[in-house]
Amino acid sequence: MARKKSQTCTITWAGDAGIEQASALQKELLKAFDEKKTILLDLSQITDIDISALQLIVAAEKESKIRGVAFQVLDTIPDNVVQFIKLLDFPLPVGDMSGKETADA
């Protein structure tokens, strides 16, 4: 019996997520959009984020709607990143999957 491929992809960003990494992060997201039906973005391992990475996340949300692909940022976001997102009043598609603080809190 053939095994069914998972249609879900969890992408974990680690370390810095900034302008220097933006191209690689974008390629990773686009590859997932080409191959999967559900994309989960895990930010729990990032240590720093800047506006370019946040813009990629918003662009990914828009792309998901165009392609009919589910996209969600897991809510396991480090406190320093949550504070930065709040400071910018930046909307993120964050789900409530672990009960931890989210960017909307």
Side-chain angles (χ1 to χ4, degrees):
M1 177 174 10
R3 261 181 91 167
K4 194 173 184 181
K5 280 189 174 180
S6 172
Q7 290 298 307
T8 300
C9 175
T10 300
I11 297 172
T12 302
W13 287 357
D16 289 344
I19 190 70
E20 296 85 10
Q21 298 81 22
S23 179
L25 299 174
Q26 180 185 30
K27 287 177 186 175
E28 187 176 27
L29 285 168
L30 289 174
K31 181 179 178 189
F33 275 109
D34 287 341
E35 298 174 356
K36 302 296 180 181
K37 294 293 180 199
T38 301
I39 301 167
L40 305 175
L41 182 59
D42 179 358
L43 302 178
S44 65
Q45 302 297 312
I46 64 171
T47 55
D48 196 21
I49 194 166
D50 73 11
I51 194 72
S52 62
L54 294 176
Q55 289 172 326
L56 278 176
I57 295 169
V58 171
E61 181 182 26
K62 289 178 182 179
E63 187 71 15
S64 74
K65 291 175 182 171
I66 291 168
R67 293 192 189 206
V69 173
F71 176 74
Q72 185 174 39
V73 177
L74 300 178
D75 71 343
T76 53
I77 303 171
D79 288 340
N80 65 314
V81 175
V82 170
Q83 294 307 314
F84 179 68
I85 293 167
K86 285 181 180 181
L87 178 69
L88 296 175
D89 195 26
F90 209 90
L92 284 183
V94 177
D96 185 17
M97 293 187 160
S98 73
K100 293 187 178 181
E101 183 174 18
T102 67
D104 294 333

